[in-house]
Amino acid sequence: MAEEAEAILEVRGLVKHYPLTQGVLFRKEVGSVKAVDGVDFTLRRGETLGIVGESGCGKSTVARMLVNLERPTVGSIKYKGEDITRLSGRALKAVRRNIQMVFQDPYTSLNPRMTVGDIIGEPYEIHPEAAPKGDRRKKVQELLDVVGLNPEHINRYPHQFSGGQRQRIGIARGLALRPEVIVADEPVSALDVSVQAQVINLMDRLQNEFDLSYVFIAHDLSIVRHISDRVGVMYLGRIVEIGRDAEIYDHPTHPYTQALLSAVPVPDPEARAHRERIILAGDVPSPTNVPSGCRFRTRCWKAQERCAQEVPTLAVPPHLGGDPTGPAAHDSACHFAEEKQVVRAEPRP
């Protein structure tokens, strides 16, 4: 089981602040955008960790830091115990071979001037030790077949494929170096619903076939529930609740998670009639001026004076952790966490 497997990625205290400046000739820093402000999680071998949250909460910034497209302001990302944020040169290049990314938009993440064969084979140019030149065309064709595309289309260009097919090309490119971890940044959000299911099923099959570990980022709660073993919920740069999928979806304890789940459509009219819809007040605060204490307190119906003074710790709430095997025994960053039974939006797949 993934819960018993070794940790392949350990993220601790991850922070990314972007400076805000003013002036033309003399630039002066006047603040910062707190895109990610203290994120902790562990990814185990063979596991899928889903990360969900509203747009702008920092999900994609976390993804880019995991693959070293962004350097964190503070914090560590350990791959098999080694902090990759401190690496450079050949050492960083070797790690990048094992942590690949699938991007959100299949229409802009593929170079329109390159053939499919060149796109999927490009990682071999950067890491020539992964495939001798004479074998590269064959390997690319094998990858096309693995993701459900015709190997004979190796010389076609991206515009000759549909959106779902383009995302399969992106997945094939991510698999080229046989990585251990794939960071998928909203890989199906730009696709039609029917195509989303095909891509998700493909990723599920590839995980078993290639022994992959996924960090799967999305804002669609139904998709994340289908593919994930554990789920982390982000709000304004921090993870506010994290646990096994059944714990999060059936027994959420953080008010923000409860509000998110209450907004998921329920097809059954009878179940919908017994479901409480939680409407949040106000808008998400600006990441340049986050609230003191709990960041969710300005929209939370449970907020008290303590919430403005103390930052809640992401841990099992003491008053809910009496049974370590119970559904409420998962980490939640709320001073007044309370287990809430949720009416299912759909049957568990």
Side-chain angles (χ1 to χ4, degrees):
M1 294 178 62
E3 294 177 23
E4 301 169 353
E6 65 173 312
I8 195 167
L9 274 184
E10 294 178 271
V11 175
R12 296 291 179 266
L14 199 62
V15 172
K16 183 62 180 179
H17 292 178
Y18 296 96
L20 288 175
T21 59
Q22 67 179 16
V24 178
L25 296 178
F26 302 98
R27 308 294 291 176
K28 178 182 178 183
E29 188 171 328
V30 294
S32 63
V33 177
K34 299 176 177 63
V36 177
D37 206 24
V39 165
D40 301 90
F41 63 80
T42 299
L43 177 70
R44 301 192 178 279
R45 185 177 295 279
E47 177 185 54
T48 298
L49 173 66
I51 298 180
V52 299
E54 294 172 277
S55 296
C57 71
K59 306 185 301 295
S60 293
T61 305
V62 169
R64 294 176 66 84
M65 286 191 284
L66 292 179
V67 296
N68 240 279
L69 292 177
E70 296 272 6
R71 288 281 189 172
T73 307
V74 179
S76 66
I77 302 171
K78 291 185 178 180
Y79 168 70
K80 292 183 175 179
E82 183 176 28
D83 189 354
I84 64 175
T85 64
R86 301 178 182 274
L87 300 181
S88 60
R90 291 183 178 179
L92 178 58
K93 183 179 177 181
V95 169
R96 276 180 165 165
R97 176 176 173 176
N98 292 311
I99 306 175
Q100 292 290 302
M101 188 166 183
V102 175
F103 294 91
Q104 176 177 359
D105 190 352
Y107 296 93
T108 59
S109 61
L110 304 180
N111 190 330
R113 295 181 176 87
M114 295 174 66
T115 66
V116 167
D118 290 335
I119 290 170
I120 298 175
E122 189 174 22
Y124 299 137
E125 299 292 334
I126 301 169
H127 299 270
E129 73 282 359
K133 281 195 173 182
D135 293 341
R136 291 179 188 175
R137 182 179 178 86
K138 180 181 177 182
K139 283 184 174 292
V140 169
Q141 289 180 315
E142 288 174 351
L143 285 167
L144 284 170
D145 184 57
V146 162
V147 298
L149 296 176
N150 190 337
E152 295 180 5
H153 295 167
I154 188 171
N155 293 321
R156 291 190 177 185
Y157 288 85
H159 73 271
Q160 295 175 283
F161 294 89
S162 67
Q165 290 173 325
R166 292 187 199 190
Q167 196 59 288
R168 289 171 186 263
I169 294 167
I171 292 171
R173 177 177 58 187
L175 288 174
L177 299 174
R178 294 295 190 269
E180 294 183 294
V181 178
I182 286 186
V183 180
D185 183 16
E186 303 207 38
V188 296
S189 63
L191 306 178
D192 293 339
V193 174
S194 60
V195 180
Q196 287 181 0
Q198 295 172 15
V199 173
I200 291 298
N201 290 335
L202 170 66
M203 294 185 68
D204 206 16
R205 174 174 65 79
L206 293 175
Q207 183 173 36
N208 296 325
E209 188 173 337
F210 293 95
D211 192 25
L212 297 168
S213 303
Y214 288 146
V215 176
F216 190 94
I217 293 170
H219 60 266
D220 190 316
L221 294 164
S222 300
I223 289 174
V224 171
R225 176 163 131 195
H226 179 78
I227 196 172
S228 300
D229 299 300
R230 288 190 304 125
V231 177
V233 181
M234 282 193 72
Y235 181 81
L236 205 59
R238 287 184 177 167
I239 290 180
V240 297
E241 187 168 5
I242 188 168
R244 294 189 296 272
D245 63 335
E247 295 170 343
I248 299 297
Y249 284 93
D250 298 344
H251 305 275
T253 60
H254 195 283
Y256 178 63
T257 309
Q258 294 167 0
L260 282 183
L261 291 172
S262 77
V264 177
V266 179
D268 182 358
E270 186 176 344
R272 186 165 59 243
H274 293 86
R275 194 179 206 198
E276 177 189 359
R277 178 72 169 91
I278 300 173
I279 307 297
L280 296 178
D283 298 318
V284 180
S286 169
T288 63
N289 185 27
V290 299
S292 62
C294 176
R295 299 179 175 214
F296 185 61
R297 67 177 175 81
T298 58
R299 307 175 72 194
C300 182
W301 64 94
K302 294 183 179 180
Q304 299 182 24
E305 185 177 348
R306 179 186 178 187
C307 301
Q309 298 172 351
E310 298 179 28
V311 177
T313 303
L314 183 64
V316 178
H319 58 287
L320 295 179
D323 179 5
T325 63
H330 62 274
D331 294 344
S332 182
C334 178
H335 296 306
F336 306 102
E338 181 181 7
E339 182 182 348
K340 185 178 182 68
Q341 193 79 22
V342 173
V343 176
R344 283 192 178 280
E346 57 185 343
R348 181 174 301 282

